[in-house]
Amino acid sequence: MNGATPVLRWPSLRQPLDVLFLFCCLLLTADVLVPEIFSHGKTKDYSLWYWAGQQVLQGGDLYARQTRGTLDFIYPPPPAVLLALPTWFGKIPFYLTLCVLNSAAWAITSQLSNAMTGSKKIPTPWLAALPGIATITFVFDQYDLGQPNLVLLALMLLGFWWMQKGRPWLGGSMFALATAIKVFPIAVLPYLLWRRHWAASASMIVATLALLYVMPAPVRGFERNATELKTWFNAMVGSSSEKGFGQRDEQNWSWVNQSVIAMTHRLVRPINYYLDDPQHAPEYMNVIDVPYKTANWIVIAVSGLIGLGFIWAIPAYRRMTERSTAEELGILFCLMTVASPLARQYYFMWLFLPLTVLMHRAAFDDRPAVRTGTWTLIGVSMALMVLSLPVFPAFWQAWGNNLLATALLAGGLIWHMHHAPQTSERLVP
C-alpha cells in the first residue's frame, strides 16, 4: 500500500495491535512491580539504579559500593544525576518511571524503524508489529533486568531521524545523550565522520563533553564530578587485562558475551567459557592457542577487516537512495551491537532496525524470488536467536548464535543494497 511516511503517534485503543502492545507493557511492568510490592523486592539492576540516584540526592560517593573488589555502579555519573529526582519519590514510583521510559522507547523504536526503511510504503499493522514480536525476548530483558539498551536504541533512532529531517545538531545531541548513559553508542562517531556529517559530529562531541563534565557539576560539584569521572574511566576503560575488562572479568570472556572481542579471544585462546559459573566443569572452544597480546592484534585485524568491508559495501554519496540509506543504517546498527566490548543477550535488541528493514524488503520487493529469499534469511536468523533461550545449552551462545544471526542480517542488507530494484530514487539531502 502506497502512502506517506509514517510519523510518531500515540497508541490507539481502537487498534487491536495497539491494545496488545499496551497489554504487553502492563505485563512487563507487572514483572517489575509485583515482586517489589508483594515479595522480597525486585532484583537485577533496579536496586542499583535506585541506590545511585539516592547517592546523588544524599551527596554520597557513586563508586564507593563494591562487590569482591569491583565497582557495583559501572556507569558514568550523568545517568545517576538524571535519575536522582525520580528516586526521591521512593522505589515503586521510581521503578514505574523506568518502565514507562522503556514502554515509550519501545513504541518510538517500532514507529521510527518502520518509518525509516526507505520503502515509501505504509506497512500493514501486522507487518509493522512483526519486528517487535520477533524481538520480544530482548524487550523482556530490558524490563526484567532494568537495562537501558532499549532507551538508547530509541535515542539513536531519533538522532538519525532528526538528521534526515535536516536537524543534525539535534541528531548529534541524541547520540551524545545515549553515549553519556552507556558509552558503547560512541561507535557511531567514526561513521558520522566518514560520511562527513560534520554538524552532527560536532554536536555529538560538544554535547557529550557537556553531559559528562558540565551537567553533573551543579549537583556534584565540578571537582568532585571530575574525580568521579576519572574513577569511572580508570575502572571501565583502563582496566583491560588478560583476566578481563570493565569490572566484570568473569563475564567478559564467558559464553554470555558475544561481542567480536570476546568471540575472537575464545577462539584463539584457551578460555573457559564457563568462567562465570565456578560449579560448572571448564569448557573450551579455541581452535588455536596464542598469547593475550597476539589475540588483541587478531581482534584489531578482524575489526579492521569488518570496518573496511563496511566502507566497501556502502555506496558513494552520489549513488545513495532512501533504500540504501536504510540498509546502511541497518548494517551500522548490527556493527555497533557486536563492536561493544560486552554484548550480552539484551544488547541484540539493537537488531530491531535491521530486522524491520529486511521485513519491508521481504514484503514489498516486486521480485518473488527476492521476497522468498529474504524471508528465508530472516527465518534462519531468528532460529539462531532462539538458541539463546534458557531451554538450550549455553554452548550455542558460546559459539556466537546471536553474532552469526547479526552477520546474516548484515549480509542480507548488503545484498539488497547492491541489488536494489531499478526504480530506486536518489536520496535528496
Side-chain angles (χ1 to χ4, degrees):
M1 181 172 62
N2 293 320
T5 302
V7 295
L8 293 177
R9 63 174 181 83
W10 290 99
S12 172
L13 294 179
R14 297 181 179 180
Q15 299 292 332
L17 288 177
D18 286 3
V19 174
L20 178 61
F21 166 76
L22 294 172
F23 179 69
C24 289
C25 290
L26 287 174
L27 285 181
L28 292 167
T29 301
D31 173 68
V32 177
L33 297 184
V34 168
E36 183 63 34
I37 298 172
F38 299 105
S39 188
H40 300 295
K42 183 62 180 175
T43 58
K44 312 297 176 23
D45 283 343
Y46 281 93
S47 59
L48 178 62
W49 285 113
Y50 181 78
W51 174 86
Q54 286 288 301
Q55 287 295 96
V56 173
L57 291 178
Q58 299 168 13
D61 187 348
L62 286 174
Y63 303 105
R65 205 172 89 176
Q66 298 187 10
T67 301
R68 295 191 298 274
T70 60
L71 299 179
D72 285 355
F73 186 72
I74 58 176
Y75 301 89
V81 174
L82 291 172
L83 293 175
L85 181 59
T87 66
W88 185 81
F89 296 95
K91 280 190 175 181
I92 294 176
F94 174 65
Y95 293 175
L96 179 61
T97 299
L98 295 183
C99 291
V100 170
L101 282 174
N102 267 328
S103 300
W106 193 12
I108 291 170
T109 293
S110 177
Q111 293 182 38
L112 284 183
S113 294
N114 279 287
M116 294 170 64
T117 62
S119 64
K120 295 187 177 180
K121 306 216 181 212
I122 298 178
T124 63
W126 277 107
L127 178 60
L130 189 56
I133 297 172
T135 57
I136 189 65
T137 58
F138 301 137
V139 174
F140 171 78
D141 284 342
Q142 310 304 314
Y143 284 83
D144 185 54
L145 300 175
Q147 280 293 322
N149 290 53
L150 180 53
V151 174
L152 302 183
L153 174 58
L155 289 173
M156 299 299 287
L157 289 170
L158 279 169
F160 282 109
W161 174 261
W162 286 121
M163 285 178 60
Q164 293 178 6
K165 295 303 177 182
R167 304 176 76 174
W169 287 92
L170 187 55
S173 67
M174 295 295 100
F175 303 147
L177 181 56
T179 301
I181 294 172
K182 201 170 185 179
V183 178
F184 79 92
I186 199 173
V188 76
L189 183 57
Y191 169 79
L192 297 177
L193 294 171
W194 178 261
R195 275 303 193 189
R196 300 182 181 179
H197 295 302
W198 306 125
S201 300
S203 173
M204 180 181 178
I205 293 170
V206 171
T208 299
L209 292 175
L211 286 167
L212 289 175
Y213 286 96
V214 180
M215 186 272 287
V219 179
R220 306 292 287 167
F222 284 93
E223 185 176 348
R224 182 176 193 180
N225 180 61
T227 300
E228 289 186 326
L229 270 175
K230 183 178 179 180
T231 299
W232 167 80
F233 183 87
N234 290 336
M236 294 301 297
V237 181
S239 62
S240 179
S241 70
E242 188 171 353
K243 293 182 178 179
F245 51 88
Q247 300 289 295
R248 296 294 183 266
D249 292 352
E250 73 282 358
Q251 297 178 11
N252 293 331
W253 305 132
S254 75
W255 63 271
V256 302
N257 188 2
Q258 294 194 45
S259 69
V260 170
I261 295 174
M263 283 295 302
T264 303
H265 273 268
R266 287 203 297 269
L267 287 170
V268 303
R269 291 201 295 134
I271 298 174
N272 170 24
Y273 59 78
Y274 277 103
L275 276 171
D276 60 329
D277 185 3
Q279 305 302 319
H280 197 285
E283 293 192 27
Y284 305 88
M285 54 182 280
N286 59 301
V287 294
I288 59 175
D289 185 352
V290 301
Y292 171 70
K293 290 184 178 180
T294 304
N296 283 337
W297 282 112
I298 295 175
V299 169
I300 293 173
V302 170
S303 301
L305 289 173
I306 293 173
L308 291 173
F310 179 56
I311 292 172
W312 165 83
I314 61 178
Y317 182 77
R318 64 182 181 279
R319 293 190 291 108
M320 290 175 66
T321 66
E322 291 188 13
R323 286 175 59 97
S324 73
T325 298
E327 290 146 3
E328 183 174 313
L329 292 181
I331 300 167
L332 177 66
F333 276 71
C334 288
L335 296 183
M336 287 193 292
T337 301
V338 298
S340 171
L342 182 62
R344 299 191 63 171
Q345 168 75 358
Y346 54 83
Y347 276 66
F348 291 88
M349 179 75 238
W350 277 39
L351 298 182
F352 198 108
L353 177 65
L355 277 169
T356 305
V357 174
L358 282 174
M359 287 177 179
H360 275 242
R361 301 294 178 266
F364 297 125
D365 198 290
D366 55 8
R367 297 163 290 184
V370 172
R371 293 198 301 270
T372 300
T374 305
W375 280 122
T376 301
L377 176 71
I378 294 170
V380 172
S381 299
M382 294 307 305
L384 285 168
M385 290 187 229
V386 166
L387 295 175
S388 292
L389 294 176
V391 295
F392 296 101
F395 166 88
W396 296 108
Q397 292 189 64
W399 281 91
N401 64 305
N402 285 331
L403 181 62
L404 180 55
T406 304
L408 288 176
L409 294 177
L413 291 167
I414 292 172
W415 188 93
H416 276 279
M417 186 182 295
H418 289 273
H419 298 83
Q422 296 300 315
T423 55
S424 296
E425 299 177 1
R426 172 74 166 82
L427 175 64
V428 179

